[in-house]
Amino acid sequence: MKRAKELNVGVERWPIRGGFTISRGSKREAVVVVATIRDGAHQGRGECVPYARYGEDVDGVVLATEAFGPRIAQGLDRAELQSLLPPGAARNALDCALWDLEAKMLDTSAAEIAGLAPLHAVETALTISLASPEEMAARAQAAAHYPLLKLKLGGDGDEERLAAVRQAVPKARLIVDANEAWDASNLERLLAVAKVTGIELIEQPLPAGDDALLQHIARVVPLCADESVHDRASLRDIAKRYDAVNIKLDKTGGLTEALATSADARRLGLKIMVGCMVATSLAMAPALLLAQDADWVDLDGPLLLERDRVPGLTYSSGTVMPAPAALWG
């Protein structure tokens, strides 16, 4: 008799090196939920990060994920999963675990299942956490050997932060993430400062519910939607207000929807950033399938941790290699 698939859900805590600060607050550890689906000798894993900004917490995500144990045992597949759970962290963990399990059982790669060429290494940004202008400038200078730096901004003091960092690293490629911290009163002034300081992309300057203004101003620096876009359904007005979208698996609810969202965004003429939460290599590995032809890649989560999984992804001066099969996919 064929053994039914088994689902196990666990919570893990990974210390962050020196803490991590954005406009909404600080944290010193990454709390992740890992779904493991076993089928005989094979197992697939998926990692997600519950995010309070989207109304999620760890306990709720664990319960939502565990509730699918009986359906997993009955042979739930990725297509069915999309209609049974909304986009978000719980669906991401299950979806990525199913991708991984399928690759292991077929003795192939997730990239091949997705119809992609063998994966290649990609350049990723390194994130500089929100701090004083002097601290951010010092951190940027120490990381100047990375090909792309991403600055977390917070509203008040951002003009000084941008000027200080640019002075410290005059030749560095810089992108910034305001995490919804700007508003109508400072938007155009800060956009002008970003242009003067050579910023090549700005993520989510305004709160997601207040970003209609962006379609009526001169976007002197390209703008990227993050909190304003989750999956294909949220793309409708994005192209009027933004030039790019940040696709994260924890928002789309897994790799399946992320691939579809990326394709639809391209058809709308939007550029693509592939982003992440602060998490381990297990969460980054499936996103590397999206990153193959992305315009910007921000998959530096493991670099922000005190330690990572073994095996994990291999990073070298801002370049991240494809995942080993023992990790994922």
Side-chain angles (χ1 to χ4, degrees):
M1 180 182 296
K2 184 177 179 181
R3 181 182 301 177
K5 295 184 178 72
E6 297 178 356
L7 171 66
N8 178 266
V9 182
V11 177
E12 300 174 355
R13 298 178 181 273
W14 297 81
I16 296 174
R17 184 184 301 113
F20 185 73
T21 301
I22 65 172
S23 62
R24 284 187 288 272
S26 301
K27 60 181 180 179
R28 302 195 66 82
E29 64 179 4
V31 183
V32 307
V33 176
V34 178
T36 302
I37 302 175
R38 293 185 174 85
D39 189 341
H42 303 97
Q43 72 171 27
R45 298 183 300 166
E47 176 180 315
C48 71
V49 180
Y51 196 28
R53 170 63 180 81
Y54 305 132
E56 298 175 334
D57 59 40
V58 173
D59 290 344
V61 168
V62 168
L63 287 173
T65 307
E66 288 179 333
F68 275 77
R71 290 184 179 272
I72 292 291
Q74 295 166 8
L76 176 78
D77 61 22
R78 287 185 287 107
E80 294 172 305
L81 177 65
Q82 309 309 303
S83 64
L84 296 174
L85 261 181
R91 196 175 78 185
N92 180 28
L94 289 168
D95 183 74
C96 290
L98 288 167
W99 274 96
D100 189 26
L101 179 62
E102 185 176 352
K104 299 295 193 295
M105 295 185 70
L106 295 177
D107 192 24
T108 186
S109 68
E112 186 169 344
I113 294 170
L116 302 177
L119 302 187
H120 56 76
V122 297
E123 288 188 345
T124 178
L126 179 70
T127 301
I128 306 296
S129 185
L130 177 65
S132 69
E134 297 76 17
E135 288 176 279
M136 293 185 71
R139 293 174 190 173
Q141 195 166 45
H145 58 290
Y146 280 83
L148 180 65
L149 299 179
K150 176 175 172 174
L151 312 178
K152 288 289 189 177
L153 299 181
D156 291 344
D158 283 349
E159 185 171 352
E160 292 77 14
R161 291 183 181 98
L162 291 172
V165 170
R166 178 49 77 196
Q167 184 175 12
V169 287
K171 297 182 179 180
R173 291 178 59 212
L174 300 176
I175 58 179
V176 303
D177 185 0
N179 282 118
E180 305 180 278
W182 297 0
D183 58 37
S185 69
N186 60 23
L187 174 65
E188 293 190 85
R189 175 175 59 81
L190 289 172
L191 285 175
V193 173
K195 180 175 176 61
V196 169
T197 50
I199 304 303
E200 63 182 72
L201 186 74
I202 300 170
E203 282 185 70
Q204 199 69 42
L206 299 179
D210 298 327
D211 62 355
L213 171 64
L214 299 178
Q215 68 192 74
H216 303 295
I217 65 165
R219 300 199 293 263
V220 295
V221 176
L223 302 182
C224 179
D226 184 355
E227 287 85 352
S228 287
V229 64
H230 293 256
D231 58 359
R232 283 173 289 175
S234 59
L235 285 174
R236 185 169 60 91
D237 294 319
I238 292 299
K240 302 174 186 175
R241 303 170 184 176
Y242 295 91
D243 308 285
V245 292
N246 186 343
I247 300 176
K248 297 176 181 175
L249 272 61
D250 277 312
K251 293 191 300 179
T252 64
L255 179 60
T256 301
E257 177 63 21
L259 290 167
T261 301
S262 178
D264 278 13
R266 288 292 192 196
R267 282 191 284 272
L268 289 169
L270 292 160
K271 292 189 175 182
I272 303 294
M273 170 185 276
V274 176
C276 68
M277 309 298 284
V278 182
T280 79
S281 284
L282 181 58
M284 307 300 121
L288 283 171
L289 275 68
L290 284 173
Q292 296 299 291
D293 65 347
D295 300 284
W296 298 272
V297 176
D298 178 25
L299 295 177
D300 64 343
L303 298 177
L304 307 176
L305 301 176
E306 290 282 4
R307 56 186 174 83
D308 190 17
R309 298 186 186 277
V310 179
L313 293 174
T314 298
Y315 290 83
S316 177
S317 296
T319 298
V320 55
M321 312 301 173
L327 172 65
W328 187 89

